[in-house]
Amino acid sequence: MNDMKRLIDIILSLVALLVLSPIFLFVAFKVRNNLGSPIFFLQERPGKNAKIFKMIKFRSMKDAFDKEGNPLPDDQRITPFGHKLRSTTLDEMPQLINVLLGSMSIVGPRPQMKDFLEHYSVEQMRRHEVKPGMTGLAQVSGRNNLSWEEKFNLDVQYVDTHSISLDFKIMFKTVKVLIAKEGINAPDQTVGAARFSKDDSSKFLD
């Protein structure tokens, strides 16, 4: 199954990059115009077996620092353009490159911040038994309407039950969720007493 899943990932990511290349180039131009260089934002995330990789996104925040040289909070750095980019989830499009390179899959548990690793229970760590995905079972089952525990439970459920047919069901449902924008604007929820900080990609892809 792993070989078939990888083949499907390669085919779908290649086709998507080709078909969406005009949009990809347009968004890259708009990012460059509105935010300058670099166009891409690279962030370290844990992948399969918790191995760290660099997840690629279109940049959505400007560089801004306080007097001590520390980056300002996200809400002070994101621009109206960045908000719009995130609301359409187009900032996530470069993750197709991650899929093509093999660090991610089209479907799998969403890669979270690496700082979360120390807070996972043994059961929650099982989400890293498969490659992280651009979309997953949690993303089509409530997205931000779910608590973190519910999201992680669904991630482990995917690990235990994943199949090619389930992947295609999740992909088709993802399209429906994106069109309906279900759960995108729900407030972030945390586990316990703020065990997890807010993930800057917590719209669609968390």
Side-chain angles (χ1 to χ4, degrees):
M1 176 189 162
N2 288 337
D3 290 342
M4 179 60 68
K5 183 176 173 70
R6 177 61 185 146
L7 179 60
I8 291 171
D9 280 341
I10 292 172
I11 293 172
L12 291 182
S13 59
L14 271 175
V15 170
L17 284 169
L18 288 173
V19 172
L20 299 174
S21 59
I23 299 175
F24 195 103
L25 293 173
F26 176 75
V27 174
F29 170 77
K30 295 294 285 185
V31 172
R32 178 69 175 80
N33 236 20
N34 283 270
L35 299 172
S37 295
I39 292 171
F40 297 118
F41 170 67
L42 305 180
Q43 189 171 57
E44 291 187 338
R45 300 284 178 107
K48 185 176 181 181
N49 299 321
K51 182 179 179 181
I52 302 300
F53 73 99
K54 291 186 177 179
M55 189 175 76
I56 311 170
K57 298 174 65 177
F58 278 122
R59 188 172 162 219
S60 60
M61 291 190 292
K62 63 183 179 181
D63 291 326
F65 304 89
D66 60 22
K67 293 179 180 179
E68 284 72 40
N70 301 310
L72 292 176
D74 288 2
D75 60 354
Q76 295 182 39
R77 293 193 294 134
I78 192 165
T79 64
F81 166 76
H83 272 298
K84 187 173 183 180
L85 189 62
R86 290 188 182 190
S87 70
T88 60
T89 69
L90 289 174
D91 61 322
E92 311 287 354
M93 198 186 312
Q95 287 165 40
L96 288 165
I97 299 172
N98 285 123
V99 175
L100 188 60
L101 293 175
S103 53
M104 290 180 65
S105 180
I106 296 292
V107 180
R110 279 299 299 164
Q112 300 294 338
M113 307 290 280
K114 65 179 182 179
D115 293 343
F116 289 13
L117 287 172
E118 61 185 276
H119 300 293
Y120 289 151
S121 67
V122 173
E123 183 69 6
Q124 290 169 345
M125 274 296 293
R126 294 193 58 228
R127 70 195 305 276
H128 296 293
E129 291 177 12
V130 298
K131 286 183 183 179
M134 293 186 68
T135 186
L137 187 58
Q139 285 63 55
V140 298
S141 303
R143 297 162 72 179
N144 285 349
N145 292 322
L146 302 174
S147 68
W148 284 104
E149 283 105 336
E150 289 171 325
K151 290 179 183 180
F152 293 148
N153 287 341
L154 286 167
D155 288 342
V156 175
Q157 181 181 325
Y158 174 80
V159 170
D160 289 335
T161 63
H162 69 284
S163 64
I164 299 300
S165 61
L166 177 60
D167 281 3
F168 276 103
K169 287 177 183 177
I170 291 173
M171 281 186 258
F172 286 125
K173 194 168 182 181
T174 295
V175 175
K176 178 183 175 182
V177 168
L178 284 174
I179 292 173
K181 294 188 177 180
E182 297 172 3
I184 291 178
N185 296 318
D188 290 326
Q189 300 184 53
T190 57
V191 174
R195 285 174 59 198
F196 302 105
S197 60
K198 182 179 179 183
D199 180 359
D200 68 347
S201 64
S202 63
K203 321 177 296 302
F204 152 44
L205 301 160
D206 285 338

